Short mmCIF file of all heavy atoms in Angstrom, two decimals:
data_model
loop_
_atom_site.label_atom_id
_atom_site.label_comp_id
_atom_site.label_asym_id
_atom_site.label_seq_id
_atom_site.Cartn_x
_atom_site.Cartn_y
_atom_site.Cartn_z
N GLU X 330 -20.94 -27.88 6.53
CA GLU X 330 -22.19 -28.62 6.38
C GLU X 330 -22.51 -29.27 7.70
O GLU X 330 -23.64 -29.27 8.18
CB GLU X 330 -21.99 -29.65 5.25
CG GLU X 330 -23.27 -30.43 4.86
CD GLU X 330 -24.42 -29.51 4.52
OE1 GLU X 330 -24.25 -28.39 4.09
OE2 GLU X 330 -25.58 -30.01 4.68
N ALA X 331 -21.44 -29.89 8.30
CA ALA X 331 -21.68 -30.62 9.60
C ALA X 331 -22.12 -29.67 10.66
O ALA X 331 -22.98 -29.95 11.55
CB ALA X 331 -20.45 -31.37 9.94
N LEU X 332 -21.60 -28.43 10.68
CA LEU X 332 -21.93 -27.44 11.67
C LEU X 332 -23.38 -26.95 11.36
O LEU X 332 -24.10 -26.69 12.30
CB LEU X 332 -21.00 -26.22 11.61
CG LEU X 332 -19.61 -26.47 12.17
CD1 LEU X 332 -18.67 -25.34 11.73
CD2 LEU X 332 -19.67 -26.47 13.73
N ARG X 333 -23.72 -26.86 10.14
CA ARG X 333 -25.07 -26.45 9.74
C ARG X 333 -26.11 -27.32 10.15
O ARG X 333 -27.15 -26.90 10.75
CB ARG X 333 -25.09 -26.24 8.18
CG ARG X 333 -26.31 -25.37 7.72
CD ARG X 333 -26.33 -25.28 6.20
NE ARG X 333 -26.63 -26.57 5.61
CZ ARG X 333 -27.84 -27.14 5.64
NH1 ARG X 333 -28.82 -26.56 6.13
NH2 ARG X 333 -27.99 -28.37 5.02
N THR X 334 -25.90 -28.69 9.97
CA THR X 334 -26.88 -29.58 10.32
C THR X 334 -26.94 -29.90 11.84
O THR X 334 -27.86 -30.54 12.34
CB THR X 334 -26.66 -30.95 9.55
OG1 THR X 334 -25.35 -31.38 9.90
CG2 THR X 334 -26.76 -30.80 8.07
N GLY X 335 -25.87 -29.47 12.47
CA GLY X 335 -25.81 -29.74 13.94
C GLY X 335 -25.18 -31.09 14.24
O GLY X 335 -25.09 -31.49 15.42
N GLU X 336 -24.73 -31.73 13.22
CA GLU X 336 -24.08 -33.08 13.43
C GLU X 336 -22.73 -32.94 14.22
O GLU X 336 -22.35 -33.81 14.88
CB GLU X 336 -23.80 -33.54 12.04
CG GLU X 336 -23.21 -34.94 11.86
CD GLU X 336 -22.94 -35.20 10.33
OE1 GLU X 336 -23.79 -34.70 9.49
OE2 GLU X 336 -21.91 -35.69 10.05
N TYR X 337 -22.09 -31.71 14.01
CA TYR X 337 -20.87 -31.48 14.70
C TYR X 337 -20.97 -30.23 15.55
O TYR X 337 -21.50 -29.24 15.01
CB TYR X 337 -19.72 -31.38 13.67
CG TYR X 337 -18.38 -30.97 14.23
CD1 TYR X 337 -17.76 -31.87 15.13
CD2 TYR X 337 -17.78 -29.82 13.86
CE1 TYR X 337 -16.50 -31.49 15.68
CE2 TYR X 337 -16.51 -29.42 14.40
CZ TYR X 337 -15.96 -30.28 15.29
OH TYR X 337 -14.70 -29.95 15.93
N HIS X 338 -20.41 -30.19 16.72
CA HIS X 338 -20.30 -29.00 17.52
C HIS X 338 -18.87 -28.58 17.61
O HIS X 338 -18.00 -29.36 17.74
CB HIS X 338 -20.88 -29.30 18.89
CG HIS X 338 -21.03 -28.08 19.81
ND1 HIS X 338 -19.98 -27.45 20.31
CD2 HIS X 338 -22.19 -27.41 20.18
CE1 HIS X 338 -20.44 -26.32 20.99
NE2 HIS X 338 -21.77 -26.30 20.90
N ALA X 339 -18.64 -27.20 17.42
CA ALA X 339 -17.29 -26.74 17.39
C ALA X 339 -16.49 -27.02 18.65
O ALA X 339 -15.29 -27.09 18.62
CB ALA X 339 -17.30 -25.22 17.05
N PHE X 340 -17.19 -27.11 19.77
CA PHE X 340 -16.44 -27.51 20.99
C PHE X 340 -16.89 -28.90 21.44
O PHE X 340 -17.80 -29.13 22.18
CB PHE X 340 -16.82 -26.54 22.14
CG PHE X 340 -16.11 -25.17 21.96
CD1 PHE X 340 -16.81 -24.09 21.44
CD2 PHE X 340 -14.75 -25.02 22.21
CE1 PHE X 340 -16.17 -22.82 21.25
CE2 PHE X 340 -14.12 -23.79 22.06
CZ PHE X 340 -14.92 -22.76 21.56
N THR X 341 -16.24 -29.92 20.81
CA THR X 341 -16.48 -31.31 21.16
C THR X 341 -15.29 -31.93 21.83
O THR X 341 -14.17 -31.78 21.31
CB THR X 341 -16.82 -32.14 19.88
OG1 THR X 341 -17.90 -31.51 19.22
CG2 THR X 341 -17.26 -33.58 20.24
N GLY X 342 -15.49 -32.59 22.94
CA GLY X 342 -14.34 -33.10 23.75
C GLY X 342 -13.60 -34.21 23.00
O GLY X 342 -14.07 -34.71 21.89
N PRO X 343 -12.38 -34.67 23.42
CA PRO X 343 -11.87 -34.24 24.65
C PRO X 343 -11.05 -32.87 24.52
O PRO X 343 -10.38 -32.68 23.59
CB PRO X 343 -10.83 -35.35 24.95
CG PRO X 343 -10.46 -35.83 23.57
CD PRO X 343 -11.62 -35.67 22.73
N ILE X 344 -11.43 -31.98 25.42
CA ILE X 344 -10.70 -30.65 25.45
C ILE X 344 -10.27 -30.34 26.90
O ILE X 344 -11.07 -30.46 27.80
CB ILE X 344 -11.64 -29.54 24.96
CG1 ILE X 344 -12.13 -29.78 23.59
CG2 ILE X 344 -10.90 -28.17 25.04
CD1 ILE X 344 -13.17 -28.76 23.06
N ASN X 345 -9.04 -29.96 27.08
CA ASN X 345 -8.53 -29.61 28.43
C ASN X 345 -8.36 -28.05 28.45
O ASN X 345 -8.24 -27.40 27.41
CB ASN X 345 -7.14 -30.23 28.63
CG ASN X 345 -7.26 -31.62 28.88
OD1 ASN X 345 -8.30 -32.23 29.18
ND2 ASN X 345 -6.14 -32.30 28.78
N LYS X 346 -8.51 -27.53 29.64
CA LYS X 346 -8.23 -26.04 29.78
C LYS X 346 -6.74 -25.83 29.73
O LYS X 346 -5.92 -26.78 29.75
CB LYS X 346 -8.80 -25.64 31.13
CG LYS X 346 -10.27 -25.66 31.24
CD LYS X 346 -10.84 -25.04 32.50
CE LYS X 346 -12.30 -25.15 32.58
NZ LYS X 346 -12.83 -24.59 33.81
N GLN X 347 -6.34 -24.50 29.67
CA GLN X 347 -4.94 -24.21 29.49
C GLN X 347 -4.07 -24.85 30.60
O GLN X 347 -2.93 -25.21 30.32
CB GLN X 347 -4.80 -22.71 29.48
CG GLN X 347 -3.36 -22.24 29.07
CD GLN X 347 -3.23 -20.74 29.09
OE1 GLN X 347 -3.97 -20.04 29.85
NE2 GLN X 347 -2.37 -20.16 28.31
N ASP X 348 -4.54 -24.85 31.81
CA ASP X 348 -3.72 -25.33 32.99
C ASP X 348 -3.67 -26.92 32.97
O ASP X 348 -3.13 -27.47 33.85
CB ASP X 348 -4.32 -24.82 34.26
CG ASP X 348 -5.76 -25.17 34.47
OD1 ASP X 348 -6.23 -26.07 33.76
OD2 ASP X 348 -6.39 -24.54 35.40
N GLY X 349 -4.31 -27.52 31.95
CA GLY X 349 -4.24 -28.96 31.93
C GLY X 349 -5.35 -29.69 32.50
O GLY X 349 -5.56 -30.92 32.34
N SER X 350 -6.23 -28.97 33.25
CA SER X 350 -7.37 -29.63 33.88
C SER X 350 -8.45 -30.01 32.80
O SER X 350 -8.46 -29.30 31.77
CB SER X 350 -8.03 -28.68 34.96
OG SER X 350 -8.47 -27.54 34.36
N ALA X 351 -9.15 -31.05 33.05
CA ALA X 351 -10.09 -31.48 32.05
C ALA X 351 -11.29 -30.55 31.99
O ALA X 351 -11.78 -30.09 33.01
CB ALA X 351 -10.58 -32.92 32.39
N TRP X 352 -11.81 -30.25 30.79
CA TRP X 352 -13.02 -29.48 30.57
C TRP X 352 -14.11 -30.40 29.99
O TRP X 352 -15.13 -30.58 30.65
CB TRP X 352 -12.73 -28.26 29.70
CG TRP X 352 -13.96 -27.50 29.40
CD1 TRP X 352 -15.04 -27.28 30.21
CD2 TRP X 352 -14.28 -26.83 28.18
NE1 TRP X 352 -16.05 -26.55 29.60
CE2 TRP X 352 -15.53 -26.23 28.31
CE3 TRP X 352 -13.57 -26.63 26.94
CZ2 TRP X 352 -16.11 -25.50 27.28
CZ3 TRP X 352 -14.17 -25.93 25.95
CH2 TRP X 352 -15.49 -25.37 26.14
N LEU X 353 -13.88 -30.91 28.85
CA LEU X 353 -14.90 -31.73 28.22
C LEU X 353 -14.27 -33.13 27.96
O LEU X 353 -13.16 -33.29 27.49
CB LEU X 353 -15.21 -31.21 26.83
CG LEU X 353 -15.97 -29.83 26.80
CD1 LEU X 353 -16.15 -29.39 25.38
CD2 LEU X 353 -17.29 -29.86 27.54
N ALA X 354 -15.09 -34.15 28.35
CA ALA X 354 -14.65 -35.54 28.12
C ALA X 354 -14.87 -35.91 26.61
O ALA X 354 -15.49 -35.15 25.89
CB ALA X 354 -15.46 -36.44 29.01
N GLU X 355 -14.30 -37.04 26.31
CA GLU X 355 -14.42 -37.50 24.94
C GLU X 355 -15.87 -37.51 24.52
O GLU X 355 -16.73 -38.08 25.17
CB GLU X 355 -13.90 -39.00 24.95
CG GLU X 355 -14.06 -39.72 23.64
CD GLU X 355 -12.91 -39.42 22.70
OE1 GLU X 355 -11.72 -39.43 23.15
OE2 GLU X 355 -13.11 -39.22 21.47
N GLY X 356 -16.13 -36.80 23.40
CA GLY X 356 -17.45 -36.86 22.82
C GLY X 356 -18.46 -35.87 23.43
O GLY X 356 -19.56 -35.66 22.89
N GLU X 357 -18.09 -35.29 24.53
CA GLU X 357 -19.00 -34.36 25.21
C GLU X 357 -18.93 -33.00 24.50
O GLU X 357 -17.90 -32.57 24.02
CB GLU X 357 -18.50 -34.16 26.67
CG GLU X 357 -19.44 -33.42 27.58
CD GLU X 357 -18.88 -33.21 28.99
OE1 GLU X 357 -17.79 -33.73 29.25
OE2 GLU X 357 -19.40 -32.45 29.71
N VAL X 358 -20.13 -32.31 24.41
CA VAL X 358 -20.04 -31.02 23.80
C VAL X 358 -20.34 -29.96 24.86
O VAL X 358 -20.98 -30.25 25.87
CB VAL X 358 -21.17 -30.88 22.69
CG1 VAL X 358 -20.86 -31.87 21.55
CG2 VAL X 358 -22.57 -31.06 23.24
N ALA X 359 -19.81 -28.79 24.55
CA ALA X 359 -19.94 -27.66 25.57
C ALA X 359 -21.34 -27.17 25.70
O ALA X 359 -22.10 -27.20 24.69
CB ALA X 359 -19.04 -26.51 25.13
N ASP X 360 -21.72 -26.86 26.93
CA ASP X 360 -23.07 -26.32 27.11
C ASP X 360 -23.03 -24.78 26.86
O ASP X 360 -22.00 -24.18 27.05
CB ASP X 360 -23.62 -26.66 28.48
CG ASP X 360 -22.73 -25.99 29.54
OD1 ASP X 360 -21.69 -26.52 29.83
OD2 ASP X 360 -23.28 -24.96 30.10
N ASP X 361 -24.18 -24.21 26.52
CA ASP X 361 -24.21 -22.80 26.16
C ASP X 361 -23.83 -21.91 27.32
O ASP X 361 -23.24 -20.80 27.15
CB ASP X 361 -25.56 -22.46 25.69
CG ASP X 361 -25.75 -22.83 24.17
OD1 ASP X 361 -24.80 -23.36 23.62
OD2 ASP X 361 -26.84 -22.61 23.66
N GLY X 362 -24.11 -22.33 28.53
CA GLY X 362 -23.86 -21.54 29.73
C GLY X 362 -22.38 -21.31 29.83
O GLY X 362 -21.81 -20.15 30.00
N THR X 363 -21.57 -22.40 29.70
CA THR X 363 -20.08 -22.26 29.79
C THR X 363 -19.57 -21.44 28.70
O THR X 363 -18.68 -20.56 28.86
CB THR X 363 -19.46 -23.62 29.79
OG1 THR X 363 -20.20 -24.51 30.65
CG2 THR X 363 -17.99 -23.57 30.14
#
Side-chain angles (χ1 to χ4, degrees):
Chain X
E330 186 55 24
L332 286 164
R333 195 181 66 76
T334 57
E336 182 186 321
Y337 174 63
H338 189 286
F340 288 101
T341 304
I344 302 174
N345 288 344
K346 295 187 182 178
Q347 190 182 26
D348 57 14
S350 62
W352 173 35
L353 295 176
E355 175 85 44
E357 193 185 347
V358 299
D360 63 286
D361 279 359
T363 314

